[in-house]
Amino acid sequence: MTKRTAVASMVWGLAVTVVILTSSRAEQPVSFTSDIKPIMEASCWNCHGPSMQLSKLDLRTRESALKGGEHGPAIVPGKADESRLYRLVAGLEKPAMPMDGSKLTAAQIAAFKTWINDGAHWDLAAAPAVSTSASPSSAPLPGSEAPQLPPGARDYWAFKLPAQAPLPNVGANLKNPIDRFLEAARQEKGLKPAPKADRLTLLRRAYLDLIGMPPTPAQTAEFMADNSPDAWPKLIDKLLASPHYGERWGRHWLDVARYADSAGYEDDHDRPNVWRYRDYVVKSFNDDKPYSDFITEQLAGDEIDNRTNDTYIATNFLRAGPRVEAREKDNPQYRYDYLDDVIATVGKGMMGLTMQCARCHNHKFDPILQKDYYAMQASFWGYVETTYPLASKDEVDAYNKKVAEITAKQAPMRSEIRKIEAPYRQKLMAEAIKKDFPELVQKAVAKPEAERTEGERLLADQVLKSAQFKLPIDETMTPEELARKKELNKQIAELEKQRPKPLPMADITTDGDYRFSPRAAGDEALPGKAGTKEDEIEGSFLHTGPGKYKVPPSYLLVRGDMNSRGAQMQPGFLTVATFGTPPTEIERPDGHTSGRRLAFAQWLTSADNPLTARVAVNRIWAHHFGKGIVGTLDNFGKMGDQPTHQELLDWLAVEFRKQGWSIKQMHRLMMTSDAYQMASRYNDEAALSKDPNDDYLWRYRIQRLDAEVVRDSIMSAAGTIDLSMGGPPVFPHIQPELLKAVSFGSIHGIYRNQDDGPAVWRRSLYIYNKRNLPFPMMQVFDQPDLNISFGARLVSTVPTQALTLMNNEFVARQAKLFADRVKETAGPDPAKQVDTAYRLALTRPPTAKELSLGVEMVKSQSLVDFANVVLNLNEFLYTE
């Protein structure tokens, strides 16, 4: 089916629906008193009565209904099809009424239609009394009342401020506070801890945990030769100082930030600048940037005092979610959906709560008020998404001048081409519409836009959008006009060659327009504006004048409907987690932003916030120990898991703040504990029966490697991995059959497939993350959904994982290169080859039985087959 045929079929169906829904029928006389008033009493006057909660529309009298509300008159007497009241209750326009989820019956809808067609007469005696002592709007709007938490809301553990309890007195031999808390819980449950793991196991565990790659033989030998008492802490410090640490732990945060290199949805456009945010995250972890600063920069990097290119790039966090390639002014609903994505991500990723559940009503399980949701939305309301030039003033001025000159020279040529094409385009369009669409649609398109009904507008819009398909204009032109068009296009192309190379840009978030300084206060202002044209700013709100930026008003939306405004909202925070009266705006010296996001970030990182530090240390704990103290990393609410060791979690949260929000300090504290160094291969039947899930950590939990670590470990064993850091992503080879099966929507969404080879053998962090086509090997090994924030990845064991490791072309080639490396290192002796392969892939020598079986396989089959088997071992895929 062609695109034109598909669109035509869709519009045919839409046209038939409109005809059916609006067709006339035999109508009986209708009485307002007996037929209409009961419906209005039950379904209309609650919201469109004294309080006028929805759209400022009052339906209590004929005069107020004819006057209408924010969307114009509700009734056109004698014309039900043109009356908004009828169209809404009939479901012909959105939002369908009533909005409480109930629907009028067919008979009730027919009664409304007949009553309006008969003139919409009111029986005044039957209408509700209108108070003369108070304005109809004097009733409080939804959201205007003071927030009321349910009784005992702050009694829940997560909403109490954490405090450091005294360390349990369970033995002087336990030096690490973590071990004392864990041992106290184990003793209470009658559990005994596993012995310490061997040094090679600990070495591999630390490397995979901190840098996501196994140690090389040289690194293994270095550690094994160090017999000093502090060999283990020194190893941890060495790995934390590695630049590859940021790549490993930055990937964890990118899961939270719903990072991807494309926009998602149907067209799934490229985001050519977003990799700069990925590199910012890696650098931040390597620099051990305080976590409080890390999240502040991502929420308000354009509002802090000491702004840099990095802090602007950090604000990409707010816009990292999926986006439709359309401006918000064309569909205002997008803005609410994008802000819901931001609130959901901040809620889950930084606060450990499902804030998005309060968009339409108070949270069903947790004390999160709908007013809290919209107060938080007001904190972000002024934001717009734009681009920021990473260049000096002189460079930007020169670039803008040259581009303007070229564009000005091309403009008359483009105008002449449009003029040549216009009559042909108009004729071909008319013929296509006449051929492919019914008469009803043709009439809707032919009508002036102002005269179209809502249904006709919908039909016409669909048809005109479908007209974007290619028309054979060149084939219908005269030879002279075609020759002239080609000559003009040639001149345009010659001028295009003079266009300067685009300046490096960053995708950022800021308030209002783009009139602010990229430097610290007092430095030179930004050279030029990235958003000087309206279509270069993806937001709807522009700061058009000098002086202090003013955030446009935002409102609580009744049932989450953008057309049903409640009270105007002021910025605010989660009521149950707010102690005292922290500021909701922090005035900025330049006045170009509101300071609302900065105030939100400061509330989030305050010592009086009970959530942020707990959520952060719980996530670090989960990545080290395989499971969080709270198992649901992004849900500390009542529907999430309860903490297994709450006193330990609170102690760590307070310690995290005391240590300057240093993530590396948390690594040192956790990894030097006895708990982290326990063996995983330890069986205790009594412990297994008492604690089968190992909730109380009587042995170390075995963990399956993340998808990226699996691929990186394969290349590390083969010696082929490219460890260069940063920069644009690579496009590892994907089967052409799969690429053909995926619709990319447009040229902007095409996956730039590269041949398998050294150019794409970089760390998996740098693979292009396409929302509509995740890289297959990553997806097989449980890469999370790129559209939403993920605190913890799901872990599956499915046949496709084994099939990938056995049959995937990339794995097969790496196995061959692994075998080549083993042969080059060990020589022709099969026993030495088996020993070398184990040490490269598993960081240990083989056992006697493994050596015997390996030698037999190398002799009977091949070294390549043996290398492939090693890459398929469970031990290769897990951290023990």
Side-chain angles (χ1 to χ4, degrees), residues 31-45 108:
S31 162
F32 176 84
T33 302
S34 59
D35 298 314
I36 302 302
K37 179 188 174 186
I39 303 174
M40 286 193 167
E41 284 181 329
S43 303
C44 302
W45 286 340
Q108 289 173 323

Side-chain angles (χ1 to χ4, degrees), residues 465-746:
K465 285 180 180 178
S466 74
Q468 300 304 315
F469 51 72
K470 187 176 181 180
L471 296 170
I473 296 175
D474 289 0
E475 299 173 15
T476 57
M477 285 183 179
T478 66
E480 294 78 14
E481 288 173 321
L482 183 59
R484 177 57 180 163
K485 177 183 174 181
K486 289 181 177 179
E487 175 59 29
L488 290 168
N489 278 327
K490 182 179 178 181
Q491 294 176 25
I492 291 172
E494 287 300 316
L495 286 169
E496 198 64 31
K497 293 177 182 178
Q498 302 174 28
R499 190 177 294 273
K501 183 180 178 181
L503 294 174
M505 304 293 287
D507 296 339
I508 71 163
T509 300
T510 186
D511 277 354
D513 65 5
Y514 197 50
R515 299 173 60 257
F516 63 95
S517 167
R519 314 296 178 207
D523 285 354
E524 193 170 24
L526 173 70
K529 305 172 188 175
T532 51
K533 294 183 179 179
E534 183 182 350
D535 61 0
E536 291 177 355
I537 297 182
E538 297 171 49
S540 303
F541 308 115
L542 301 177
H543 180 200
T544 55
K548 183 179 179 181
Y549 170 72
K550 184 178 181 181
V551 180
S554 62
Y555 303 86
L556 183 143
L557 302 184
V558 179
R559 302 180 187 89
D561 174 34
M562 60 174 279
N563 295 311
S564 304
R565 291 178 175 176
Q568 182 174 334
M569 298 303 298
Q570 296 302 315
F573 316 121
L574 179 64
T575 302
V576 73
T578 301
F579 299 88
T581 54
T584 57
E585 291 187 7
I586 298 175
E587 186 172 345
R588 299 290 77 211
D590 58 15
H592 290 146
T593 58
S594 66
R596 290 184 178 186
R597 285 177 287 112
L598 180 59
F600 184 88
Q602 290 191 1
W603 166 78
L604 201 61
T605 57
S606 164
D608 289 331
N609 188 299
L611 295 164
T612 310
R614 278 184 175 126
V615 171
V617 296
N618 188 62
R619 183 176 294 117
I620 299 169
W621 181 277
H623 290 310
H624 280 311
F625 291 97
K627 183 180 178 181
I629 296 173
V630 177
T632 47
L633 304 192
D634 49 15
N635 189 357
F636 278 33
K638 293 181 179 178
M639 297 305 290
D641 293 343
Q642 296 302 296
T644 55
H645 303 77
Q646 186 188 328
E647 284 191 344
L648 171 58
L649 178 63
D650 289 358
W651 191 94
L652 289 171
V654 175
E655 189 68 16
F656 187 36
R657 291 202 305 263
K658 285 183 178 179
Q659 296 294 334
W661 299 84
S662 167
I663 293 175
K664 289 188 177 182
Q665 283 296 92
M666 288 297 103
H667 291 311
R668 293 184 180 98
L669 181 63
M670 294 178 188
M671 294 179 71
T672 55
S673 69
D674 291 348
Y676 182 83
Q677 299 175 67
M678 284 192 298
S680 60
R681 293 179 181 245
Y682 172 71
N683 291 319
D684 182 331
E685 294 299 329
L688 194 60
S689 63
K690 293 177 182 178
D691 183 22
N693 294 324
D694 197 17
D695 291 332
Y696 294 94
L697 276 176
W698 52 273
R699 66 180 176 186
Y700 185 81
R701 298 185 185 101
I702 295 176
Q703 300 176 52
R704 219 280 311 282
L705 301 182
D706 288 343
E708 294 86 353
V709 182
V710 172
R711 180 175 177 272
D712 292 354
S713 294
I714 290 172
M715 294 186 293
S716 295
T720 59
I721 191 167
D722 176 359
L723 295 177
S724 58
M725 295 180 62
V730 295
F731 296 78
H733 189 73
I734 292 178
Q735 293 287 351
E737 296 81 4
L738 179 57
L739 292 176
K740 291 177 182 178
V742 177
S743 171
F744 291 101
S746 74

Side-chain angles (χ1 to χ4, degrees), residues 336 429 666 871:
Y336 295 99
M429 281 280 295
M666 288 297 103
L871 299 180

